[in-house]
Each structure stands twice: as structure tokens, then as C-alpha cells.
Amino acid sequence: MQLIDQASVQLVIDKLKEQELYIHLEMTTGAYASHLDTTKFTASTFISNGLVNYSHGSIEGTGPYRVGLKIDQGWVYSQGLTHWEETETERLILAGHDSEGKLVVSLQLSREPF
């Protein structure tokens, strides 16, 4: 994964809008590492292969970035994004890593299930 190039990510967001897409949205404060330190508070959120169709999407900020997707009944919102998979052309894969390189948040959109 590479550091986010905001303009390039925006192009992919625009390309995928107004289509039925599978979404993977995940956030964790250390669920993958809590077995090493039981004193850490762990929280996480996970949705995989949910369906969304957004009419407007944007990536904002100066890094870490946030992405908002306007759906019929509200918004999908993800903040803390730092990296993206730039080799992907048919789907969007974004991740946010902390200062130790650990995954904190991910947002993925695709025409196919993950």
C-alpha cells in the first residue's frame, strides 16, 4: 500500500458512484493485538459485504484523510485513512495505520464481494 494520493483516490470514488457496491468497513483500537496486553481497551466495528450505492463521495483532509459517501438514507463516513492500494482500478482499498504501522481503520468498495 502507498500513502494516499488524494486526487487519485477522488478519481476512483467518482468512478464508482451511482453503482451497487459491496462495502467493507472496519475500525479497531487494537483487537488484533489485545492478546499481548490485556490492559488495553479494545473496541472494533466491522461490516463486510454490505451493499451501498452512493450519489456523492469525497476524500477530505490533509492526512490522515476522511471519506464520506452520501447514500439514500444517510452517510457512510470513515476517518483516519493514510494508505491506499494504487494498483487497484476496479475497486477502492483504503486503510489507516497508526504510528506503529498497525491497522486502525479500513474502507473498501468493490463491484464484487470481498
Side-chain angles (χ1 to χ4, degrees):
M1 298 192 88
Q2 303 294 318
L3 289 173
I4 286 177
D5 176 76
Q6 187 174 7
S8 296
V9 170
Q10 185 64 56
L11 288 174
V12 178
I13 290 171
D14 292 342
K15 180 180 174 182
L16 294 174
K17 77 177 181 181
E18 298 179 349
Q19 301 176 45
E20 190 165 275
L21 300 170
Y22 292 92
I23 186 170
H24 176 95
L25 180 61
E26 180 175 357
M27 187 282 300
T28 179
T29 60
Y32 297 119
S34 64
H35 63 284
L36 298 175
D37 184 353
T38 57
T39 64
K40 292 196 177 220
F41 180 80
T42 301
S44 58
T45 299
F46 183 86
I47 181 171
S48 187
N49 292 321
L51 290 172
V52 296
N53 185 333
Y54 60 92
S55 58
H56 173 76
S58 66
I59 180 168
E60 303 293 336
T62 57
Y65 296 92
R66 60 189 178 278
V67 168
L69 304 172
K70 174 72 174 112
I71 58 176
D72 285 347
Q73 302 299 319
W75 285 85
V76 173
Y77 182 80
S78 183
Q79 184 168 344
L81 300 163
T82 57
H83 290 77
W84 76 307
E85 185 56 60
E86 68 176 334
T87 61
E88 295 286 342
T89 58
E90 296 300 317
R91 59 185 184 173
L92 181 62
I93 300 176
L94 300 168
H97 299 276
D98 67 12
S99 60
E100 298 175 359
K102 295 177 184 172
L103 179 67
V104 178
V105 62
S106 69
L107 172 64
Q108 302 172 16
L109 297 167
S110 174
R111 294 181 186 100
E112 304 294 327
F114 290 96

